[in-house]
């Protein structure tokens, strides 16, 4: 049984919580110096007569994208060689160059993954190391901030092209870059047989992909109208965990200049190498590649479908993600933050108000609350008895104190009570801890997305309880995602303000301007964060510590 004082990511790893993660997916189931070659393409670096705005010459070759009224987009640009064959489970290698304009009007395949949430497409492709660039339509004479997005998905799911950056680019006057990176075991398998000549080199291939993309941005940003000396790295969920890792990774130093972390805290420890390698050996054995001097060759020969099947869904036994220990990530990001050994850049950090309701919705859809765990024509709501059982399974001898703090009488349903407790324990407290640690070292801006009527997945049956501001709920306000119900007029107003905040932060490390409600800089002893909700008075300070019982969770001890 996991104690209440465990790190947030690990605290969810009771048998029941691991099954909840399965339910979520199965129910839906140093900056590079600008090269001479990069200065020869379309954009302010090109100079001379006006050229076709759909064509940009990167350092590897020209790309032909799409030009719209207010933006340009360039998709499926390779930033590294396909990690296939002998390059599987190796650090990313440079992409091959080309001469004729490359078609950049359509997205590439996502990296290999099973079916996940509605926005995620299953894939068996390992030829997936591509990125997408969106710019404002008019970039002549400009050097715009670059915002590089790392998608979430438990390090098992997701692809960059899901997140359309047109609104952020056009309204915020920024360059938006999204990317694919290797996922699951293909991105994060730690095994001594895969280390090569450097001990501890395996386990962070997905992080190395992200670094390769950031170096590509450093070399090529100017060709698209971007400033390689002003890069904001931002991500949500697993993407936020990745951002935290880059803050601590020595080889990421200088590749970015500001960060935004959404819905995961840098105080949550990642796996240590010993644990990750034990997990890697188990997976190798599952693939019949253990206990042999040819383990690496055996693993590289396994069909990708078999690797995906062996990994399975969250909670199935293999838990991917960054690995602390080794040349890529010598120190756990949580330790780096606590000791001040991280990249000193401005930070924006936040959560959604009802993070955990998304997981409980997934459990309902999978029938986990039904007798026998069998789905019914209508979802089975969590019962009061099940609420007590889940508190006991998660918090052990602290369960009674948690139940007293989150009594069923104070909520509309047992699901809402459980979601409140889990949100506060696993997201809110770690987020405020991180805010306070960051604020001692760097300019910090803290927020909470609090739209309780946030749009849900279009065409997907609703929960038996209000979904509220669930995990993922803020993304349709920042990106054109295509999978969510449309925003209302008030929500579009909130979206405009959020786009303004995010873009202003990218421009100068401070989200404030004269046209938006003031967002105070967070101080090390603060308890208030900027609440982001629609309607009159929806944006302003909120007592985050009080709303999420911060002192209570600290009183239970670590």
């Amino acid at each position: 049984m996991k104690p209440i004082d465990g790190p947030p990511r690990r605290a969810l790893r009771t048998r029941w919580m691991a099954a909840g993660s399965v339910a979520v997916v199965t129910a839906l189931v140093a900056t590079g110096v600008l090269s001479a070659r990069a200065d020869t393409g379309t954009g302010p670096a090109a100079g001379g007569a006006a050229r076709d705005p759909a064509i940009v010459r990167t350092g590897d070759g020209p790309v032909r994208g799409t030009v719209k009224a207010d933006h340009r987009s360039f998709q499926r640009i390779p930033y590294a060689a396909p990690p296939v064959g002998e390059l599987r489970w190796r650090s990313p290698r440079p992409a091959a160059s080309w001469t004729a304009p490359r078609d950049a009007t359509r997205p590439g395949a996502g990296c290999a993954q099973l079916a996940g949430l509605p926005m995620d497409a299953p894939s068996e492709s390992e030829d997936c190391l591509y990125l997408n660039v969106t710019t404002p339509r008019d970039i002549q004479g400009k050097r715009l901030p670059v915002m590089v997005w790392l998608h979430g998905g438990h390090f098992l799911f997701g692809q960059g092209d899901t997140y359309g950056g047109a609104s952020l680019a056009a309204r915020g006057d920024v360059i938006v870059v999204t990317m694919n990176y290797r996922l699951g075991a293909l991105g994060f398998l730690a095994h001594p047989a895969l280390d090569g000549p450097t001990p501890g080199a395996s386990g962070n291939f997905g992080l190395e992909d992200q670094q390769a993309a950031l170096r590509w941005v450093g070399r090529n940003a100017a060709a698209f109208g971007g400033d390689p000396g002003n890069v904001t790295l931002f991500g949500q969920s697993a993407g936020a965990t990745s951002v935290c890792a880059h803050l601590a990774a020595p080889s990421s130093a200088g590749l970015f200049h500001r960060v935004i972390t959404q819905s995961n805290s840098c105080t949550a420890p990642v796996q240590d190498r010993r644990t990750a390698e034990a997990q890697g050996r188990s997976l190798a054995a599952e693939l019949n590649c253990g206990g042999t001097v040819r383990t690496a060759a055996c693993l590289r020969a396994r069909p990708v479908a078999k690797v995906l099947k062996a990994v399975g869904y969250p909670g199935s036994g293999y838990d991917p993600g960054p690995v602390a220990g080794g040349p890529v990530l010598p120190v756990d990001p949580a330790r780096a933050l606590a000791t001040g050994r991280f990249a000193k850049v401005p930070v924006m950090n936040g959560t959604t108000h009802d993070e955990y309701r998304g997981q409980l919705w997934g459990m309902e859809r999978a029938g986990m609350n039904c007798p026998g765990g069998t789905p019914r024509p209508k979802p089975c709501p969590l019962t009061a008895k099940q609420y007590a059982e889940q508190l006991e399974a998660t918090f052990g001898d602290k369960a009674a104190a948690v139940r007293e703090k989150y009594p069923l009488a104070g909520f509309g349903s047992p699901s809402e009570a459980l979601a409140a407790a889990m949100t506060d324990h696993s997201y809110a407290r770690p987020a405020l801890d991180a805010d306070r640690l960051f604020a001692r070292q760097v300019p910090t801006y803290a927020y909470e997305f609090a739209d309780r009527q946030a749009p849900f997945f279009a065409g997907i049956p609703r929960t038996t309880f209000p979904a509220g501001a669930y995990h993922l709920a803020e993304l349709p306000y920042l990106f054109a995602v295509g999978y969510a119900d449309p925003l209302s007029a008030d929500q579009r107003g909130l979206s405009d303000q959020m786009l303004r905040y995010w873009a202003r932060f990218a421009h100068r490390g401070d989200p404030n301007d004269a046209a938006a409600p003031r967002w105070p800089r967070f101080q090390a002893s603060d308890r208030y964060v900027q609440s982001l909700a629609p309607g009159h008075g929806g944006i302003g300070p909120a007592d985050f510590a009080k709303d999420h019982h911060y002192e209570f969770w600290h009183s239970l001890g670590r």
Side-chain angles (χ1 to χ4, degrees), residues 351-359 416 419-420 423 427 448-453 466-471 548:
T351 63
T352 69
H353 188 277
D354 307 301
E355 293 275 7
Y356 211 77
R357 292 194 189 189
Q359 284 90 326
E416 291 167 80
T423 294
Y427 289 94
E448 177 178 64
F449 177 81
D451 184 359
R452 305 294 186 88
Q453 304 298 321
Y470 60 97
H471 192 70
H548 293 281

Side-chain angles (χ1 to χ4, degrees), residues 52-149:
D52 185 349
I55 296 181
V56 170
R57 185 172 299 278
T58 75
D60 297 312
V63 294
R64 182 185 296 274
T66 302
V67 180
K68 299 289 188 178
D70 63 350
H71 72 279
R72 303 179 304 158
S73 67
F74 304 85
Q75 299 178 292
R76 200 175 179 269
I77 305 175
Y79 66 84
V84 300
E86 284 301 307
L87 295 187
R88 181 193 279 185
W89 287 308
R90 295 190 191 277
S91 299
R93 305 296 172 84
S97 60
W98 62 91
T99 55
R102 179 187 179 94
D103 180 20
T105 62
R106 294 173 295 177
C111 289
Q113 59 190 282
L114 298 173
L117 292 167
M119 69 281 257
D120 304 325
S123 171
E124 292 187 4
S125 177
E126 294 182 79
D127 181 3
C128 62
L129 299 187
Y130 299 100
L131 53 75
N132 316 289
V133 182
T134 306
T135 83
R137 174 64 177 82
D138 179 16
I139 51 100
Q140 294 302 316
K142 294 181 179 179
R143 281 288 185 270
L144 301 178
V146 183
M147 301 187 72
V148 179
W149 173 251

Side-chain angles (χ1 to χ4, degrees), residues 40-420:
T40 62
T42 298
R51 300 187 183 186
D52 185 349
I55 296 181
V56 170
R57 185 172 299 278
T58 75
D60 297 312
V63 294
R64 182 185 296 274
T66 302
V67 180
K68 299 289 188 178
D70 63 350
H71 72 279
R72 303 179 304 158
S73 67
F74 304 85
Q75 299 178 292
R76 200 175 179 269
I77 305 175
Y79 66 84
V84 300
E86 284 301 307
L87 295 187
R88 181 193 279 185
W89 287 308
R90 295 190 191 277
S91 299
R93 305 296 172 84
S97 60
W98 62 91
T99 55
R102 179 187 179 94
D103 180 20
T105 62
R106 294 173 295 177
C111 289
Q113 59 190 282
L114 298 173
L117 292 167
M119 69 281 257
D120 304 325
S123 171
E124 292 187 4
S125 177
E126 294 182 79
D127 181 3
C128 62
L129 299 187
Y130 299 100
L131 53 75
N132 316 289
V133 182
T134 306
T135 83
R137 174 64 177 82
D138 179 16
I139 51 100
Q140 294 302 316
K142 294 181 179 179
R143 281 288 185 270
L144 301 178
V146 183
M147 301 187 72
V148 179
W149 173 251
L150 303 179
H151 69 76
H154 205 88
F155 295 106
L156 283 170
F157 313 104
Q159 49 278 325
D161 61 87
T162 297
Y163 304 93
S167 294
L168 185 53
R171 299 184 196 179
D173 213 25
V174 298
I175 309 296
V176 179
V177 178
T178 66
M179 72 174 77
N180 298 339
Y181 55 91
R182 281 174 282 180
L183 302 168
L186 295 167
F188 297 95
L189 181 62
H191 195 292
L194 301 176
D195 285 349
T198 306
S202 64
N204 288 307
F205 302 110
L207 284 182
E208 291 185 82
D209 292 344
Q210 295 167 7
Q211 290 175 331
L214 285 165
R215 293 188 180 100
W216 184 96
V217 167
R219 295 191 302 270
N220 293 285
F224 291 88
D227 180 359
N230 186 3
V231 175
T232 295
L233 185 62
F234 68 136
Q236 185 266 349
S237 194
T241 299
S242 298
V243 173
C244 296
H246 290 299
L247 284 169
S251 49
S252 296
L255 298 179
F256 55 89
H257 312 91
R258 327 190 194 289
V259 299
I260 303 173
T261 53
Q262 303 175 207
S263 293
N264 252 357
S265 171
C266 292
T267 60
V270 302
Q271 290 192 93
D272 63 89
R273 180 153 297 276
R274 182 178 178 179
T275 300
E277 288 186 351
Q279 180 177 254
R281 289 187 176 94
S282 295
L283 186 66
E286 176 74 13
L287 291 166
N288 296 317
C289 290
T292 171
V293 294
R294 292 183 53 80
T295 292
C298 178
L299 287 169
R300 290 190 173 103
R302 285 293 179 259
V304 66
K306 288 190 176 181
V307 177
L308 293 175
K309 182 179 179 181
V311 170
Y313 285 98
S316 299
Y318 181 81
D319 185 27
V323 179
V328 176
L329 191 60
V331 178
D332 191 296
R335 178 65 177 166
L337 177 57
T339 58
R341 293 181 292 168
F342 63 93
K344 302 302 191 297
V345 299
V347 172
M348 182 191 295
N349 177 53
T351 63
T352 69
H353 188 277
D354 307 301
E355 293 275 7
Y356 211 77
R357 292 194 189 189
Q359 284 90 326
L360 298 187
W361 163 69
M363 292 177 60
E364 280 194 351
R365 293 286 297 152
M368 293 185 64
N369 301 335
C370 299
T374 304
R376 303 294 173 85
K378 292 184 179 181
C380 303
L382 190 75
T383 66
K385 182 174 181 290
Q386 289 171 326
Y387 171 63
E389 290 172 348
Q390 305 321 323
L391 292 184
E392 180 69 26
T394 307
F395 301 115
D397 61 1
K398 306 292 186 179
V402 177
R403 187 166 57 249
E404 182 179 354
K405 195 67 176 180
Y406 298 83
L408 286 176
F411 298 89
S413 68
S415 290
E416 291 167 80
L418 182 60

